[in-house]
Amino acid sequence: MRSYSLILLLIAILLLFIGCAHDTDRQKDKQKAAFKRSLEENTYQCRKSIEAAELSNVKSKILWVSGLSEPTAAMQSDESFIQEKEKSEIEMLYKIIDFCQNMYRSTITLFINTEYGDQFKKHLHAKYSNLNDLNDGKIAYGAYNRQEAELSQQLIRDLQFLDERYRSQAMQQRALEAPADFQRSSNFLPPIFTQYLLFELIAGALLIL
């Protein structure tokens, strides 16, 4: 009788294990779907703000205003400096950058953690600095575009570095945890999940902003 009860107990534990695993997978799928929807909405709102702005004088001179992820040869070699008639449009660019990047940073902080969001804050300051140099007449449009392309690539590298670091930490933590420990932080998704960040977000709008 005791043996029979033990078998039933083992079966119950196994079913609980399977149920917890399935619940965890469903929760992760829901989080991924919600994250992707948020990024897509961010991208839509960002592009909409660019399209709605009156940027006729600088549209062909700045890669992300033109909707490009990489500057053309002409954009990279443009030696012209900002003109007075373009000043108001440059001021609008500050607002667009702030609007778009704050959206992305909020989404990423909510679904992953604050350190990833902090990379966007750092990136935002770098973009402001580059735009300041253009607006102050320190650099020409060509230098601005080359720097913008490098800033986007640097952000990708910074996010990949965080991803690899957290993946390594997660592997070390799993090696120390008991097999039955299913507790996960509610504010930190698995590092591999940031592939959504790199391939959905950056491929969508970040490279043009």
Side-chain angles (χ1 to χ4, degrees):
M1 186 68 175
R2 181 174 297 178
S3 177
Y4 180 70
S5 298
L6 181 59
I7 291 173
L8 290 178
L9 178 60
L10 291 174
I11 291 174
I13 292 173
L14 178 61
L15 291 175
L16 178 62
F17 178 86
I18 294 173
C20 289
H22 286 172
D23 287 343
T24 301
D25 289 341
R26 284 194 293 269
Q27 183 63 26
K28 287 180 181 178
D29 288 341
K30 289 180 180 178
Q31 288 176 318
K32 289 179 182 179
F35 186 36
K36 186 176 180 180
R37 285 195 301 271
S38 294
L39 293 181
E40 289 174 343
E41 179 62 22
N42 291 163
T43 299
Y44 172 76
Q45 293 296 336
C46 181
R47 288 176 173 168
K48 188 176 178 181
S49 69
I50 296 173
E51 293 170 0
E54 179 54 53
L55 302 169
S56 57
N57 290 311
V58 300
K59 184 175 182 179
S60 63
K61 296 184 176 183
I62 295 178
L63 75 159
W64 58 270
V65 178
S66 300
L68 302 176
S69 60
E70 294 288 342
T72 63
M75 286 179 174
Q76 293 186 61
S77 60
D78 188 349
E79 295 300 325
S80 65
F81 288 82
I82 186 173
Q83 300 178 26
E84 189 61 36
K85 64 180 181 180
E86 299 165 347
K87 289 279 187 177
S88 61
E89 295 183 15
I90 297 297
E91 288 300 316
M92 181 61 67
L93 296 188
Y94 283 104
K95 297 178 182 178
I96 293 174
I97 292 172
D98 188 67
F99 170 72
C100 294
Q101 294 227 356
N102 280 333
M103 279 196 305
Y104 287 124
R105 180 154 50 97
S106 296
T107 295
I108 291 162
T109 298
L110 175 64
F111 283 94
I112 304 179
N113 68 16
T114 56
E115 193 166 4
Y116 284 84
D118 287 344
Q119 287 296 339
F120 277 82
K121 187 175 182 179
K122 175 183 175 183
H123 185 66
L124 178 62
H125 291 321
K127 290 182 74 68
Y128 273 158
S129 178
N130 194 34
L131 193 58
N132 283 338
D133 288 344
L134 176 67
N135 195 38
D136 294 341
K138 295 179 180 179
I139 59 174
Y141 279 98
Y144 172 83
N145 284 312
R146 293 192 299 272
Q147 179 65 9
E148 283 297 288
E150 173 55 31
L151 287 175
S152 293
Q153 292 302 316
Q154 183 60 53
L155 178 58
I156 294 175
R157 291 192 293 269
D158 290 341
L159 294 173
Q160 287 175 329
F161 172 78
L162 281 176
D163 198 45
E164 291 167 1
R165 192 183 74 186
Y166 276 111
R167 185 182 293 111
S168 176
Q169 291 177 357
M171 291 176 64
Q172 293 175 9
Q173 183 178 356
R174 281 198 298 271
L176 297 174
E177 289 175 348
D181 184 5
F182 298 106
Q183 298 300 317
R184 306 285 289 183
S185 170
S186 61
N187 194 39
F188 179 63
L189 298 174
I192 193 67
F193 185 44
T194 55
Q195 286 182 5
Y196 278 89
L197 175 69
L198 297 175
F199 297 119
E200 295 291 338
L201 171 59
I202 293 179
L206 196 116
L207 283 177
I208 66 170
L209 182 63

